[in-house]
Amino acid sequence: MEWTAYIWIVATFAIFYLLLIRPQQKREKKERIMRNSLEAGDHIVTIGGIVGKIISVKEDEIIIETGADRTKLTMKKWCVQSKETQDEEKK
């Protein structure tokens, strides 16, 4: 009877891993790859909703240009939420 309790505990951890932990790790890996592949000229959206074009990329910082007055902002790479693709830019 004791071994069935262990099976339930192991099964619970396996379910948590497959449904919660593993998908989160995949998402984080995808974001890390995207942030490491940023280059000058890419159009990005930050976590705060700022849209801009990357002017310069350093090790852990980027400089983006945003707005009609071409304001330059220095930001950390971790604040980039998404990178717009060429198809999205043409629309």
Side-chain angles (χ1 to χ4, degrees):
M1 194 70 171
E2 286 184 19
W3 59 273
T4 58
Y6 292 120
I7 290 175
W8 281 109
I9 292 172
V10 170
T12 303
F13 281 117
I15 290 171
F16 274 111
Y17 180 77
L18 292 174
L19 296 178
L20 298 175
I21 298 171
R22 183 70 178 139
Q24 179 66 25
Q25 288 175 340
K26 283 185 176 182
R27 210 172 7 252
E28 288 174 359
K29 182 178 179 183
K30 186 177 175 183
E31 288 174 359
R32 187 173 51 249
I33 290 170
M34 182 268 302
R35 289 178 180 141
N36 288 333
S37 70
L38 293 174
E39 298 175 345
D42 290 342
H43 291 268
I44 61 163
V45 178
T46 67
I47 293 171
I50 298 172
V51 179
K53 179 180 176 183
I54 297 177
I55 302 301
S56 174
V57 179
K58 297 179 183 174
E59 187 171 328
D60 65 339
E61 291 184 342
I62 58 171
I63 299 174
I64 67 169
E65 186 177 76
T66 183
D69 57 355
R70 302 172 73 99
T71 304
K72 293 182 181 167
L73 303 170
T74 302
M75 300 185 166
K76 296 290 186 181
K77 277 187 175 181
W78 59 261
C79 75
V80 177
Q81 180 178 359
S82 64
K83 180 168 75 168
E84 294 180 0
T85 62
Q86 296 295 332
D87 295 334
E88 293 173 355
E89 292 173 10
K90 291 179 182 177
K91 290 182 180 178

